[in-house]
Amino acid sequence: IQTARQELAKAESTFNQIEEEIRNASEQQQKFNNDIRNGQSAANGMHGAITKIVGAIATCVGITKTLNLADQITSTKARLDLMNDGLQTTEELQNMIFASAQRSRGVYLDTAAVISKLGTLAGHAFSSNREMIFFAEQMNKQFKIGGASVQEQSAAMYQLTQAMAAGRLQGDEFRSIMENAPLLAQAIATYMGKSVGELREMSSEGLITADVIKNAMFSMADETNRKFSELPITWEQVWSSIQNRAIKVFEPVLAKISDIANNSNFQKFTDGLINSLVIVANVVTDVFNVITKIGGFLYDNWSWIEPIIWGVVTAMIAYNAVSLITNSLIAIQTMKDKMAVAAKMMQAGATFTATAAKKGFNAALM
């Protein structure tokens, strides 16, 4: 009987251990599944959040670029209005500049900006807007032939515009043209029957006038056009042409976008928005003023506020102490109840063991 009891106890212990291992394995599997599910959910949530953020950024960037382009076109048109000689409408002037930019493989808006500056600052040096456009076109082609970068073209065109406005090419303007537009310097030397080296002395004496620059440019136009036609088209120039055409197609739409900013109803809306922000700012300011006043009040009256605060702190400590003792007594009582339940379970376990032993003994007898 004793041996049977021991074997049954071993068997029961083994089964309990197997059951416990199965339960643990099941819990671990469930935890693993939950981790995968949570990880997938978090990944999907992060992917969705990142997608939304990227989409929002792209939308904001696209809107900003569109508004900036609309502003640029509006500003360009306004400047062309000012320098228009009246021989054509502003729209016709824009079409002439667009055609010139396409022929010289330049950017339409950059070309329009250069021509508007020439018309505003050096309009007296040209007989008409058409002559001004031809001058800018020849200059752009010479830049392309000379292989000047975008920065070099911008610097040289700025210096050339300043020289045409001043009526002569000298000083920094001459050095910039020599560095970034050597073909123009060669054309001036050929037109004046001088060497390039002699131009330096002539520039210091102010002898290279705006008329000399313009006539030298026009005198070699055929040669410039021939050399330019032999240049291969680059992808950058192809993209510039596409941009020019796109701007030309969407110019009416962009003009409507600019009209919104000048609409009286939209201006009323912006005024209302600004007034609302002012109200919010005033409220926030009032809140901080109240906080400042409260802080000053506490500082000025701390001598009699401090004992009250420490009294409240002491009362809270006492309350927490009483609560801790009460919770401890409740925990002790709960533990006693659980021990009683455990004793009953142990008694039931002993009864079960005795029953199992009895059945085992009967089985052995059979």
Side-chain angles (χ1 to χ4, degrees):
I1 292 174
Q2 183 66 28
T3 302
R5 286 180 177 177
Q6 292 175 356
E7 293 300 325
L8 285 174
K10 291 179 181 179
E12 182 181 7
S13 176
T14 301
F15 279 120
N16 289 338
Q17 184 176 359
I18 293 173
E19 182 181 5
E20 183 67 22
E21 291 177 355
I22 292 174
R23 187 181 300 109
N24 291 336
S26 177
E27 290 177 356
Q28 292 299 324
Q29 181 65 37
Q30 185 65 31
K31 183 178 179 182
F32 179 69
N33 294 339
N34 291 335
D35 290 341
I36 293 177
R37 192 179 299 110
N38 294 335
Q40 183 178 6
S41 177
N44 292 335
M46 182 178 294
H47 178 269
I50 293 175
T51 302
K52 291 179 180 178
I53 292 172
V54 172
I57 293 175
T59 302
C60 291
V61 171
I63 293 174
T64 302
K65 288 185 176 180
T66 302
L67 295 179
N68 290 338
L69 182 58
D71 290 342
Q72 191 174 358
I73 289 178
T74 301
S75 300
T76 300
K77 183 179 179 181
R79 290 195 298 269
L80 292 177
D81 278 334
L82 294 175
M83 51 81 62
N84 192 345
D85 56 13
L87 300 178
Q88 63 279 311
T89 64
T90 302
E91 184 177 357
E92 291 173 342
L93 181 59
Q94 287 177 297
N95 292 334
M96 292 165 58
I97 296 172
F98 172 78
S100 173
Q102 290 292 88
R103 287 193 299 267
S104 61
R105 306 174 194 173
V107 179
Y108 164 66
L109 291 177
D110 293 345
T111 305
V114 168
I115 293 173
S116 64
K117 287 182 180 179
L118 284 174
T120 303
L121 301 177
H124 58 277
F126 301 93
S127 61
S128 65
N129 290 154
R130 189 177 297 274
E131 188 179 66
M132 195 180 303
I133 294 172
F134 184 74
F135 178 85
E137 179 179 335
Q138 291 299 308
M139 196 67 222
N140 282 334
K141 288 181 178 179
Q142 288 207 15
F143 284 142
K144 298 293 190 304
I145 295 171
S149 64
V150 176
Q151 292 78 10
E152 292 171 343
Q153 292 180 37
S154 178
M157 188 61 78
Y158 173 78
Q159 298 293 348
L160 183 60
T161 303
Q162 295 294 322
M164 297 300 289
R168 57 183 49 83
L169 182 66
Q170 57 185 0
D172 293 336
E173 291 90 353
F174 177 77
R175 284 191 292 272
S176 179
I177 294 300
M178 289 290 292
E179 293 174 359
N180 302 314
L183 292 180
L184 176 57
Q186 183 64 49
I188 295 173
T190 303
Y191 177 78
M192 299 186 72
K194 303 290 182 178
S195 65
V196 176
E198 292 175 323
L199 291 182
R200 299 182 185 277
E201 183 177 351
M202 296 180 64
S203 66
S204 63
E205 297 175 358
L207 298 178
I208 306 177
T209 63
D211 288 336
V212 170
I213 298 172
K214 183 181 68 172
N215 295 333
M217 182 83 70
F218 292 169
S219 66
M220 66 173 304
D222 293 338
E223 183 180 357
T224 300
N225 292 336
R226 180 183 61 80
K227 290 182 178 180
F228 181 77
S229 63
E230 296 173 355
L231 291 177
I233 299 176
T234 64
W235 281 109
E236 181 181 6
Q237 295 169 357
V238 171
W239 178 242
S240 296
S241 178
I242 294 174
Q243 285 181 311
N244 293 342
R245 294 178 182 275
I247 290 174
K248 199 63 180 174
V249 170
F250 285 98
E251 190 171 6
V253 178
L254 296 171
K256 290 295 183 182
I257 293 175
S258 297
D259 291 341
I260 294 175
N262 297 285
N263 186 277
S264 58
N265 292 329
F266 184 77
Q267 291 176 356
K268 291 179 181 178
F269 165 75
T270 55
D271 292 340
L273 179 61
I274 292 173
N275 293 333
S276 300
L277 294 176
V278 170
I279 293 173
V280 172
N282 291 333
V283 171
V284 173
T285 302
D286 292 339
V287 169
F288 278 103
N289 288 336
V290 170
I291 293 174
T292 303
K293 291 179 180 178
I294 292 175
F297 174 79
L298 293 175
Y299 178 79
D300 295 335
N301 300 278
W302 182 249
S303 59
W304 61 269
I305 293 177
E306 183 181 12
I308 297 177
I309 293 178
W310 283 116
V312 173
V313 171
T314 303
M316 290 298 296
I317 293 174
Y319 172 79
N320 289 332
V322 173
S323 298
L324 180 61
I325 295 173
T326 303
N327 292 335
S328 300
L329 293 175
I330 294 173
I332 292 172
Q333 183 62 40
T334 303
M335 187 179 296
K336 289 173 62 178
D337 294 340
K338 289 183 178 181
M339 290 176 64
V341 172
K344 291 181 180 179
M345 291 179 65
M346 291 177 64
Q347 182 178 359
T351 302
F352 170 77
T353 302
T355 302
K358 179 64 175 175
K359 291 183 179 296
F361 177 69
N362 293 339
L365 291 178
M366 290 182 64

